[in-house]
Amino acid sequence: MTMKTQLLMSMMLFGSLVTADTVNIIPKPTEVQTKTGVFELNNSTTILYSEGSQMQAQQLNDYLKPATGYDLKIMRASRSSGNTILLKMDVDLANVGEEGYTLDVGKDRIVITAKTDAGLFYGIQTLRQLSPTEIYSGSKAAVGWQIPCVQIKDSPTYPWRGMMLDVSRYFFEKEYVIRYMEMMAMHKLNVLHLHIVDDPGWRIEIDKYPKLTEIGGFRGKGVKKYGGYYTKEDIREIVEHANRLQIEIVPEIELPAHCQSALAAYPWLGCTQQQLEVPTTCYISREILCAGRESTYKFLEEVMTEVIDMFPGRFIHVGGDEAKYDRWKQCPDCKKKMQDENLKEYKHLQGYMTRRIEKFLMTKNRRLIGWDEILDGGLAPNATVMTWHRPKTAVEAAKSGNNVVMALTGHAYFDTPESKLPGEPPAATWLPPISLQKAYEWEPVPASLSADEKKFILGAHGCLWTDRFMHNPILQDLATMDENRSFQYVDYLSLPRMSALAEVTWTPQKMRSWEDFANRQAIQYNRYTAGKYHFRVPQPVVQKPVKMTDGYKISMASPVNGAQLRYTTDGSYPTVRSALYTQPISVDNPQDFSAITVVNKRHASLAFKFPEDKNKRFAKYGVKIGEWKSGKVSAGTYKPVKFDATGKINKNGTYEVTFLYTGGEQRLDIEKVEVIVNGKVVARDVHQGTTGGQNKDNTYTLKITNYETGANYTIQANVMGDTGNDSNGVVMLKAVQ
Ligand code: ACM
Ligand code: ZN
């Protein structure tokens, strides 16, 4: 199939007019006016710059050079004619934001104007995307370099467009961090949050405390010893690249919990002062910094001082999540501190610590940011809250005038896989999957805020935790000689969802549409391929089978521009050598049909299959006795729910009640199930069960011994949505003997 036919198909599918040679920019700019004609980039094109923009001119040349093979002339702008690209700084530029730009492509002149370095940089990123996608290639590509004439005016919606990379659970060498920032920059993302400290690894050199990296930077023994850290020189290099890419790095030094690596290095930091090891598996350690002794504060201030010297950005992240207070409860120093400071609860002791650190950071002209738990013990006045698991903390913080960054587990935890399809690489399973569409269809600002309060929401943030690298089976599966596979894995989790996040944070919500995005993303994949980014290939977009007199007709389209679709009709798993799709096909039974998207003849998606009929899928669990629905589930606390099982429990015997999640952002947790007859509990199964992205112990076994004919049988279960009320599913009952 030609590229044109495939595009035509996706046009039919999504009803849009996107093609490879029109404007396909991600994130979608705020204003685009197409014009006729093209600008021909050639080896006599000259890059002109106005005062102060020489660095950007060089950067543009660096971007264009590998794929075009041109080393363009760069000149200070003066009166000139001919084929030119002008980078123009204009601090008075009207009608664009601080990071905004205008881009005017004419037949013989391109002009990018902005009022900041960031604006010029984003204009350059857009110019790259107007070029043939091969421009992202690291080596010379044999294409013509026409750029469509267009006029663009563009500014981001939110100033904070971030990604977090967990370099503690898995240590990414600086080269990957730099590459990752390049990936972010092409999406106009501008904050890299480095989760640089956690229980299983301290990853940044601190001169005053060398054991933090000597001991805290490594875990395990002998051949199993694993670790690494960034030297000050590494950080200088990372920061230099970040500056060039208009990215602010936010380093996270976790306190008071999630820092056993530091306690292993300096046991006197902990309440017990016991020698600890750097954990080799991932769990939330109970070991935390002693909040009572002044030595802890001195340590933190000295560490922060060196961290501030290394990172020029405005924010320091202090973690604050998931602190368990067991050690504080046993510690005379912590108890005394609480008395001295008149603190009632342990969370207030954490609040005291956070506020003290904030005060210190303020003296260094830095701002504190922390996970949403920093709200619980009394929020520091200038602190910024990163809301990850409790959306209401964003509302609370914004209402009290604190800034907020949204990093919700349900939309932005990209360590969660995109699907539950067989073959999806193992990733975080504690949350339901986050598909590209789910990541895209997110409005990060809570609707309940007033227009004034909404201004406190700085933007949004995707998170890539790497705890699964320690758990089974990712790293264990990776042959040590092929370490690149772990990088590919992070690329895979990040792309294409980084595109979704880019548009969520850059493009005004009223301009966003999934279909339009999917069409532009079809071209964005070509850029990933050219740039050798290991993205997740999406499955073919298959339409509902059409019933014919004889069997069914199946039509599909490729979600990736120019990719092949390969399929089988005998129930087998398709491969890159299966039949090539060129036109709608006929099948006897849609259940036997399966198809994959194949990029570059070898990089394939997981197989598409029509979902099994839900009723059939659930039938093995018996009969349906009820369901739970989004909005109706208790959020975060167990509440009883009742289902009528009269007539379905109809004799003595053993029955199984199974909870099956069907959708929503939250999994359902179950703590017990009972059978009630005439107000009396006649059977009970108490155990923790979960149904969501993954099911665990979600079947409850109930034995009925004195069946009463004519009585009403009620199933009562204590359930809750994990962290919110967006969960749906069905409850099934089955007699097992
Ligand atoms: C977190 O996921 N513990 C912030
Ligand atoms: Zn203590």
Side-chain angles (χ1 to χ4, degrees), residues 372-394:
D372 59 47
E373 286 91 335
I374 65 167
L375 206 74
D376 302 344
L379 195 53
N382 294 294
T384 298
V385 174
M386 187 167 271
T387 292
W388 66 283
H389 70 318
R390 295 173 302 171
K392 68 175 197 292
T393 58

Side-chain angles (χ1 to χ4, degrees), residues 269-272 288-293 296 327-335 349:
L269 287 169
C271 293
T272 65
I288 71 176
L289 296 171
C290 178
R293 290 194 297 273
T296 306
R327 298 292 175 258
W328 287 358
K329 289 177 188 169
Q330 303 294 322
C331 173
D333 296 314
C334 285
K335 285 220 165 95
L349 183 56

Side-chain angles (χ1 to χ4, degrees), residues 252 254 258 284 321-322 371 373 388 409 413 430 465:
E252 179 179 355
E254 277 263 27
H258 279 291
I284 304 167
D321 56 323
E322 301 175 312
W371 298 110
E373 286 91 335
W388 66 283
T409 53
Y413 267 39
W430 64 286
W465 299 97

Side-chain angles (χ1 to χ4, degrees), residues 398-472:
K399 282 190 186 297
S400 63
N402 289 81
N403 283 322
V404 178
V405 173
M406 302 300 287
L408 286 179
T409 53
H411 297 271
Y413 267 39
F414 293 163
D415 53 319
T416 309
E418 277 203 43
S419 78
K420 288 206 284 178
L421 294 170
E424 189 80 72
T429 46
W430 64 286
L431 294 161
I434 301 175
S435 66
L436 178 62
Q437 186 166 355
K438 190 171 176 200
Y440 186 78
E441 290 177 341
W442 180 32
E443 173 45 49
V445 174
S448 62
L449 294 178
S450 70
D452 278 345
E453 290 160 352
K454 283 180 179 167
K455 293 189 187 126
F456 290 104
I457 310 293
L458 297 181
H461 202 71
C463 293
L464 261 165
W465 299 97
T466 51
D467 41 316
R468 290 290 125 178
F469 280 44
M470 298 181 62
H471 283 152
N472 66 80

Side-chain angles (χ1 to χ4, degrees), residues 539-540 542 554 556 565-575 578-579 585 587 589-597 606-610:
Q539 293 169 281
V542 185
I554 294 176
M556 57 182 168
L565 303 180
R566 301 264 174 181
Y567 68 94
T568 58
T569 54
D570 60 0
S572 65
Y573 203 94
T575 72
S578 298
I585 54 166
V587 298
N589 178 7
Q591 291 296 329
D592 291 336
F593 167 83
S594 186
I596 55 173
T597 311
L606 297 174
F608 169 91
K609 265 187 95 59
F610 289 106

Side-chain angles (χ1 to χ4, degrees), residues 550-568:
D550 189 14
Y552 293 82
K553 190 170 94 178
I554 294 176
S555 312
M556 57 182 168
S558 171
V560 178
N561 175 46
Q564 294 179 334
L565 303 180
R566 301 264 174 181
Y567 68 94
T568 58

Side-chain angles (χ1 to χ4, degrees), residues 6-19:
Q6 285 217 343
L7 280 162
L8 210 65
M9 295 204 38
S10 66
M11 279 160 54
M12 290 186 322
L13 196 75
F14 295 121
S16 120
L17 291 170
V18 173
T19 63

